[in-house]
Amino acid sequence: MEEEQDCIMSLSDFPEPILFKVFRHLEGAELAKLCTQDRRLRVVAGEQTLWQALALDRWPNATACHHGGDWQQLYRTRARLPNTFTAGIDRLHQLTRQAAGKQQLRMNSDSLPGTAASSSPAGSPLRTNVYGFSQVPYTRIPHMLLDKVMENLFSLCAWSAGRSTARRNLFATSSSSSSRDACSVNSSEQAAAAASEMRLVRQDMAWWLSSKPEAVLQYVRRSSSMLDDWDMWGSGFSAWPEVVWRRSALQFLADLQLGPQEGVCPSVTERLQRELAHLDDCIRSVDTESTDLPTPTRPQGLPAKHWWYSLRGQLAGCAC
């Protein structure tokens, strides 16, 4: 009997190479439980290569740079967040890396108007720039990428704003103190996780303002010029719904309050505020001139400062 008891081995008794091979087949929750066991299991279960493989399997475009390279921290943080939110963060970071020239651009140049692919005779060699775009000016590439970056920024910040409102409403309508406490804990953990992941967004947007400020300012000017398009026979200011969400994306950018500490020159911030003020004047002018503006869908929980979502044209103030 004593000999049989001596032959019984615990998990900690196995050699580390064997433990490592076994742990590679575990899910994140199972690996996290092992990190709470004895010191030897914590060391093996805390190996960064294990957590990096788990993270990249779940979020293929993820990076742990905003967590100091700690893949375990990245996984534990992101596990509390919906995949649509984390995918938006990764997409924004990927587009920023492309604009910085740190990642190969992948875009079908055949679909771009005026490219060599659509205008060159059959069999003739295509002229491409360093990014692989056929006949596409280098100066236009950051602007093209920034459009997608701002779309992702709007979606991410709108989701965060909606979750904040939902948390307040849920807490206010909870009947018992225990349920309110549970809601508060879960909501606080998710809010902290979202704020942690948004640090990567802050880094990326700081890069745009510090390295490509003209692209950002041109984005604001293009938003203003879109209000010049009037469809006499159709829907009037047809670009109005797009201008509205673009203005909100710019407001979210301004709310990040990026400054010298993030490498953003104060003069860039001042110029951005002037351009935003001009865009607001154009929006108010459209509201005055139009008799009926298209009604864009206002995201849930959007702050009241996004007043452009409430405009409906002159008919809104008429007692018809």
Side-chain angles (χ1 to χ4, degrees), residues 227 237 240 281-291 293 313:
L227 294 174
F237 290 99
W240 174 253
D281 290 341
C282 293
I283 291 175
R284 292 188 181 94
S285 176
V286 167
D287 181 49
T288 302
E289 297 173 5
S290 177
T291 57
L293 291 173

Side-chain angles (χ1 to χ4, degrees), residues 159-180:
W159 179 87
S160 298
R163 290 299 300 169
S164 298
T165 301
R167 285 195 299 270
R168 290 193 297 269
N169 294 339
L170 187 61
F171 185 81
T173 56
S174 297
S175 57
S176 63
S177 59
S178 59
S179 60
R180 284 198 299 268

Side-chain angles (χ1 to χ4, degrees), residues 201-266:
V201 175
R202 287 182 58 87
Q203 294 175 14
D204 290 335
M205 299 315 300
W207 180 87
W208 280 99
L209 287 174
S210 60
S211 301
K212 300 293 181 183
E214 289 302 326
V216 178
L217 296 173
Q218 186 60 32
Y219 181 88
V220 187
R221 298 185 190 111
R222 289 202 311 273
S223 300
S224 300
S225 64
M226 291 171 68
L227 294 174
D228 295 333
D229 297 334
W230 169 262
D231 185 2
M232 181 179 299
W233 309 108
S235 56
F237 290 99
S238 56
W240 174 253
E242 182 174 356
V243 172
V244 169
W245 75 254
R246 287 167 70 103
R247 179 61 183 91
S248 284
L250 289 165
Q251 186 61 49
F252 286 134
L253 174 60
D255 290 342
L256 293 177
Q257 298 181 348
L258 302 172
Q261 188 174 358
E262 292 82 13
V264 179
C265 182

Side-chain angles (χ1 to χ4, degrees), residues 183-198:
C183 292
S184 178
V185 171
N186 294 334
S187 299
S188 298
E189 290 179 350
Q190 189 178 65
S196 178
E197 287 302 295
M198 285 296 289

Side-chain angles (χ1 to χ4, degrees), residues 119-142:
S119 58
S120 298
S124 62
L126 302 181
R127 290 180 296 168
T128 61
N129 56 28
V130 294
Y131 285 95
F133 282 93
S134 303
Q135 296 278 352
V136 177
Y138 168 79
T139 55
R140 294 297 302 168
I141 292 175

